[in-house]
Amino acid sequence: MTTALRLEKITAENFDVAIGLTVRPDQEHLVAPVVKSLAEAYVHPDTAWPRLILDGDRPVGFLMAFLGIDFAGDGTGTDIRSGLWRLNIAAGEQGRGYGRFAVESVAAEIRRRGGTRLTTTWHPGEDGPERFYLALGFRPTGEMSGDQRVGELELG
């Protein structure tokens, strides 16, 4: 990892690069492909925050945050949350700090918008990313979102 890490908005110019990013084959069941994330961002433009992760000019990953969603989905607006929706670090780029950079970047954006916690979900199990999230300070909430465990990171 270099010090030239940055996020870039997804544009027509980098779209093909973004959708070309893939995780390791053994991780494909754990995270949706970038193209699905971008389709979801298209239909949720007010809450989705998709970004390409670059190390210098080299694409190394993709993240998508959700900002200010009704997490309970019951329409009451009593459980508004922001967090990390998707994280795809390219197969040959894992273990170099890019995932940590992605989480820190989402945390910074949530703080900038006045938020105090970052929510994410992950598939539980030995092959899932739970150890990664716990090492960053996420704590399971005891909730499940579909078949995924919900975790939160306090941003105080």
Side-chain angles (χ1 to χ4, degrees):
M1 181 173 77
T2 70
T3 57
L5 290 178
R6 62 189 171 90
L7 298 181
E8 191 171 281
K9 196 173 190 176
I10 306 299
T11 64
E13 290 76 30
N14 64 19
F15 174 79
D16 287 330
V17 168
I19 66 169
L21 288 168
T22 57
V23 296
R24 294 188 332 240
D26 64 308
Q27 297 171 326
E28 290 174 352
H29 69 286
L30 299 171
V31 64
V34 174
V35 70
K36 179 177 181 182
S37 296
L38 292 176
E40 289 170 328
Y42 178 80
V43 298
H44 300 287
D46 295 335
T47 57
W49 194 71
R51 296 293 186 268
L52 189 61
I53 305 167
L54 298 167
D55 187 347
D57 289 329
R58 189 167 51 91
V60 296
F62 169 85
L63 70 81
M64 186 162 72
F66 59 90
L67 301 166
I69 67 162
D70 178 1
F71 197 79
D74 60 8
T76 65
T78 58
D79 189 14
I80 304 299
R81 300 188 199 184
S82 297
L84 182 62
W85 188 348
R86 211 55 58 61
L87 178 59
N88 304 59
I89 302 299
E93 304 294 349
Q94 295 178 14
R96 298 180 181 172
Y98 300 129
R100 175 180 292 276
F101 170 77
V103 171
E104 290 170 353
S105 297
V106 171
E109 182 64 18
I110 291 170
R111 280 190 198 100
R112 189 184 74 73
R113 294 171 181 242
T116 59
R117 66 182 174 162
L118 189 163
T119 302
T120 196
T121 61
W122 60 82
H123 286 278
E126 282 300 310
D127 64 341
E130 184 168 58
R131 286 189 305 271
F132 166 75
Y133 288 115
L134 295 178
L136 291 178
F138 282 87
R139 295 294 164 244
T141 65
E143 302 165 282
M144 295 293 285
S145 178
D147 62 348
Q148 295 188 41
R149 185 165 289 142
V150 178
E152 289 189 341
L153 178 65
E154 292 298 323
L155 302 179

